[in-house]
Amino acid sequence: MKPILPGSTIGVLGSGQLGRMFAIAARRLGYRVHTYSPDRDTPTGQIADIEIDAPYEDLDRVRAFAAGVDVVTFEFENVPAPTAEAAASAAPVRPAGLVLHTTQHRLREKTFLESHGFPVTKFAAIRQPGDLAAAWPGFGSAILKTAGFGYDGKGQYRVTSLAEAEAAWVAMGQQEAVLEALVDFEAELSVVAVRSEDGNCVFYTPSANSHVAGILDISVAPSQFPAAVASEAQDIARGLLEQLDVVGVLCVEFFLTRDHRLLINELAPRPHNSGHLTIDACITSQFEQQLRAVCNLPLGSTEMLRPAAMANLLGDVWGDSEPDWASALAMPEVKLHLYGKLAARPGRKMGHLTATAATPTQAERLVREARARLAR
Ligand code: AMP
């Protein structure tokens, strides 16, 4: 495909914060942005030239949307397959096909990983009554997760007995699910990887991630794991970019076991929360890389200019009053990113803070302090 040059229009399916940060990167490079989702006054729509508010199931609107742009990308992987297909009938869609289909569904994703020899957490498919009882003897503590449309720990139940697992499956409406062994991990890390149409791959240094209640809380990079762990994580990410024929960004989330093996937890075929620190700390952000990849332009450098740490700001930070922004911004190394969401609800990702410093440990200390200041 010929490069899609500045001045062209990018269509974004979805309208959340990932689309917003993508749109900011695209606007900076002189592109126009149209966004499509069933909402209005959205994080992406506030930045885009045009915001279409229509259901994903309205395939005529989707086709008309795609006909008005030069390339379509998405900002979350749960765009229904017929929507992506309708868009593809009118414009190139990137990343396309296999990666979206595979990563929309935990069971498909894990089966793909296992059958292609990638290291993955032990799991069993739960589709019908009897599957749990048959699988359970191989599991001790486990997590039961819905197979479709899951993110940020939603649709997940920790279980320690077959009876608890059966009750959890009933609670999720006996829908298709994955029973996954609970990993006693030493740490969690992720690699954001990018591949262009000509097969060139670039990687960011892994982030070390900590979660609270299944939601990412803090990411720090560079991670302080042995160099061999970082290079193995990047090798696995390269294998995935190639096997899934990704043109765009892929984030691979890993568990690092106590005996220093990497197990893949999850894939995301787009920029990822753990890569937000690339905006303030790297030569090229993960969002600009998505733009470059989908427009068939050369990829930028992933080099990190300074160690960095990112802290998510969930709706909980608001409490009864507006957070004390000025107090956090009084720390000169701290950057504030707010997503323009209209209502702050507990658990909702409203923004993030990034701190850069001479070492990753200092950056983490600064970003934690900045977040604590918001509550004063
Ligand atoms: P997920 O949405 O599947 O990425 O899960 C969110 C978070 O829950 C992960 O980042 C982990 O902190 C935790 N988690 C999920 N699956 C497992 C597992 N099999 N073992 C241990 N922790 C898990």
Side-chain angles (χ1 to χ4, degrees):
M1 190 177 89
K2 281 204 321 209
I4 296 167
L5 297 172
S8 307
T9 304
I10 319 284
V12 180
L13 291 172
S15 62
Q17 66 268 17
L18 300 177
R20 178 186 184 90
M21 290 181 269
F22 172 81
I24 290 171
R27 295 284 243 160
R28 192 156 48 81
L29 270 81
Y31 288 84
R32 293 183 174 276
V33 177
H34 296 181
T35 177
Y36 187 109
S37 81
D39 298 301
R40 65 176 56 181
D41 198 4
T42 59
T44 311
Q46 293 164 9
I47 307 294
D49 297 81
I50 293 180
E51 177 178 49
I52 306 290
D53 164 15
Y56 289 123
E57 292 71 27
D58 186 344
L59 301 184
D60 288 336
R61 293 289 296 274
V62 171
R63 273 186 287 270
F65 169 77
V69 303
D70 296 289
V71 61
V72 172
T73 187
F74 45 85
E75 64 109 45
F76 81 133
E77 61 272 33
N78 293 332
V79 171
T83 307
E85 278 160 30
S89 69
V93 177
R94 297 197 150 158
L98 186 58
V99 68
L100 190 62
H101 180 73
T102 308
T103 57
Q104 274 183 342
H105 190 268
R106 285 188 202 279
L107 212 44
R108 241 177 354 240
E109 181 174 293
K110 287 191 192 298
T111 307
F112 170 88
L113 292 170
E114 188 175 56
S115 64
H116 287 79
F118 290 102
V120 62
T121 319
K122 178 176 155 181
F123 71 96
I126 308 300
R127 295 196 176 94
Q128 46 199 344
D131 284 353
L132 269 174
W136 186 260
F139 290 79
S141 294
I143 304 193
L144 190 67
K145 302 180 178 179
T146 53
F149 294 91
Y151 63 95
D152 283 347
K154 294 200 171 83
Q156 301 196 3
Y157 298 80
R158 290 193 179 214
V159 294
T160 54
S161 66
L162 176 57
E164 273 178 29
E166 299 276 14
W169 196 47
V170 169
M172 61 171 70
Q174 298 195 320
Q175 60 177 300
E176 196 179 15
V178 184
L179 182 67
E180 210 182 291
L182 190 74
V183 179
D184 176 27
F185 54 79
E186 183 180 315
E188 292 188 79
L189 62 142
S190 56
V191 170
V192 175
V194 196
R195 183 164 173 268
S196 59
E197 193 178 74
D198 64 5
N200 182 30
C201 298
V202 296
F203 306 89
Y204 290 91
T205 185
S207 297
N209 303 324
S210 45
H211 293 76
V212 173
I215 303 180
L216 183 65
D217 184 46
I218 302 268
S219 289
V220 182
S223 66
Q224 286 159 307
F225 306 120
V229 170
S231 68
E232 190 192 336
Q234 291 180 340
D235 287 348
I236 291 170
R238 179 188 297 279
L240 286 164
L241 284 175
E242 287 169 357
Q243 288 283 342
L244 288 165
D245 195 21
V246 175
V247 176
V249 174
L250 179 78
C251 177
V252 190
E253 289 185 78
F254 295 95
F255 298 124
L256 182 63
T257 63
R258 297 203 181 271
D259 55 354
H260 274 202
R261 282 177 306 123
L262 286 169
L263 293 176
I264 298 171
N265 171 32
E266 207 169 38
L267 307 179
R270 49 161 172 80
H272 189 259
N273 197 166
S274 61
H276 291 356
L277 51 76
T278 62
I279 298 175
D280 298 307
C282 295
I283 292 182
T284 318
S285 77
Q286 61 171 352
F287 299 100
E288 184 176 331
Q289 300 283 27
Q290 179 185 15
L291 176 77
R292 288 172 178 239
V294 305
C295 290
N296 198 15
L297 291 169
L299 301 181
S301 166
T302 56
E303 188 188 334
M304 185 161 235
L305 299 170
R306 251 188 139 210
M310 185 273 334
N312 267 336
L313 302 177
L314 302 184
D316 313 60
V317 170
W318 271 246
D320 298 331
S321 58
E322 189 70 11
D324 186 353
W325 303 122
S327 179
L329 291 172
M331 299 172 67
E333 315 82 348
V334 168
K335 308 289 277 193
L336 173 65
H337 300 252
L338 289 174
Y339 306 148
K341 294 188 183 177
L342 305 179
R345 288 193 293 274
R348 190 173 199 208
K349 290 178 178 170
M350 303 295 294
H352 69 268
L353 295 165
T354 308
T356 56
T359 68
T361 310
Q362 278 172 22
E364 181 173 352
R365 190 180 53 70
L366 288 173
V367 88
R368 284 185 185 277
E369 185 189 333
R371 190 168 60 179
R373 285 183 177 207
L374 296 177
R376 281 183 200 155

